[in-house]
Amino acid sequence: MVENSKAEYEKNPTWDIGLTGELVAAIFGPVQWKKAHPSVRSMTDRPEFCRYHYHEALGMMSEYIESKLEETGIWGVYDEYGEFSHLMLKIRANIAAFVQSLHAVSDTCSHMLYYALALDTIPKPLRERDINAKEVLKLLEQQHDAGHPEYDKLCRLFQEITTGDDYKYLSALTNTVKHRSIVRSELNEDATGRRKEKWVLFLESFWYAGELFLRTDARDFMRKEHDRIQPLTVNIGVELNNVLMKLQSLKSSPHSGEENQ
């Protein structure tokens, strides 16, 4: 792990995954780390997938606008419609992959916390199909209320992933795209000069669970939710290590008894 000053670390914390493995194995045993490791590793893979699809989708769109549309306007796409149609196919594919990977972060994080903190060893463990953000947060809060104040910040950070209006839209969009229909993105040009951005990539409106989700600026939504969730994944990893270090300290204390469970 690259060494940072305390100020730099607090501003841009770094999650030491190697330390996570060492702590889980030391506290709960190597078998527990073997169960936790795939989801811990995936908590770095998922954000990288999101970043890749985010930059692919928006980068291709920006490049096309700069190289083609700034001279011809939107009508220029009809001169080479096959090229434009293929471009939009790639953009839509990347957007669909982006939203599904971003939405999966909460469930991946649920598995990571569940196994890294050995919550599967408590009485009445969750069925595998029930390891999700809602149920794992309940278990973390139960641990907190049972006399483990060290879980407080981790609970708050974990809850942040699945809160907010943008996450509600992300969840509805992902479930629609995954199970029902592709929510298409369409390029729109403002010919009036009144809009700040001349070209905007919109996600079309759709219905989900009886609610209408209006047409949305794809770039704006992707940027905001990407920038909100990405730091949380690191902060949760950092705080997981903090909790594990406190649990290790409790375990090594001669007066700890059963407090580490």
Side-chain angles (χ1 to χ4, degrees):
M1 185 176 80
V2 177
E3 294 294 329
N4 294 315
S5 69
K6 183 177 179 181
E8 288 173 332
Y9 176 80
E10 290 174 350
K11 183 178 180 182
N12 298 299
T14 300
W15 175 20
D16 186 346
I17 293 177
L19 178 60
T20 306
E22 292 172 11
L23 290 167
V24 172
I27 300 166
F28 304 114
V31 172
Q32 193 65 34
W33 172 238
K34 188 174 181 179
K35 289 190 282 186
H37 179 252
S39 50
V40 172
R41 180 186 61 199
S42 296
M43 277 294 285
T44 60
D45 288 341
R46 279 296 184 187
E48 288 298 323
F49 292 173
C50 291
R51 188 177 294 109
Y52 171 79
H53 292 299
Y54 173 80
H55 288 293
E56 280 292 296
L58 300 182
M60 285 189 290
M61 191 76 268
S62 295
E63 182 180 351
Y64 185 80
I65 289 171
E66 292 173 8
S67 64
K68 301 282 186 181
L69 300 188
E70 286 187 352
E71 291 186 9
T72 66
I74 198 70
W75 295 107
V77 304
Y78 295 105
D79 295 333
E80 298 176 335
Y81 191 72
E83 177 188 355
F84 178 73
S85 182
H86 185 61
L87 171 73
M88 291 305 299
L89 173 67
K90 292 189 289 184
I91 288 172
R92 289 166 183 153
N94 275 290
I95 291 176
F98 168 84
V99 298
Q100 289 182 45
S101 276
L102 196 62
H103 188 254
V105 167
S106 62
D107 281 333
T108 304
C109 188
S110 300
H111 283 76
M112 176 184 76
L113 297 178
Y114 185 72
Y115 288 114
L117 293 168
L119 298 178
D120 60 318
T121 65
I122 65 175
K124 296 183 180 180
L126 297 174
R127 295 179 299 173
E128 188 171 2
R129 63 181 294 179
D130 294 329
I131 303 173
N132 56 52
K134 181 180 178 181
E135 296 302 323
V136 172
L137 179 60
K138 281 184 187 177
L139 293 179
L140 292 174
E141 290 173 338
Q142 287 170 9
Q143 293 290 305
H144 174 268
D145 295 342
H148 287 281
E150 62 269 14
Y151 281 82
D152 181 60
K153 185 176 180 180
L154 186 62
C155 288
R156 287 187 282 108
L157 288 171
F158 186 40
Q159 188 175 34
E160 278 186 48
I161 286 185
T162 57
T163 56
D165 291 339
D166 285 332
Y167 187 83
K168 180 181 179 181
Y169 177 85
L170 173 66
S171 184
L173 176 62
T174 303
N175 281 291
T176 299
V177 168
K178 183 178 179 182
H179 300 293
R180 189 178 303 172
S181 62
I182 296 297
V183 176
R184 284 197 160 199
S185 51
E186 303 288 352
L187 184 62
N188 177 269
E189 179 183 13
D190 174 36
T192 68
R194 298 173 185 171
R195 194 169 66 195
K196 182 179 179 180
E197 298 289 339
K198 185 173 183 178
W199 290 282
V200 174
L201 188 68
F202 282 109
L203 288 163
E204 64 187 358
S205 61
F206 64 97
W207 286 87
Y208 181 76
E211 182 175 352
L212 175 63
F213 290 84
L214 298 176
R215 188 177 74 159
T216 298
D217 182 331
R219 180 189 295 271
D220 187 55
F221 158 70
M222 291 170 71
R223 176 186 55 78
K224 287 194 299 182
E225 197 63 352
H226 173 273
D227 291 353
R228 184 184 75 85
I229 290 180
Q230 293 286 61
L232 274 174
T233 64
V234 177
N235 291 336
I236 288 171
V238 170
E239 188 57 26
L240 171 61
N241 282 358
N242 290 336
V243 171
L244 288 168
M245 284 187 282
K246 290 172 185 175
L247 293 178
Q248 185 182 43
S249 177
L250 287 172
K251 183 179 180 180
S252 62
S253 170
H255 305 293
S256 62
E258 300 297 322
E259 287 182 357
N260 62 304
Q261 295 295 326

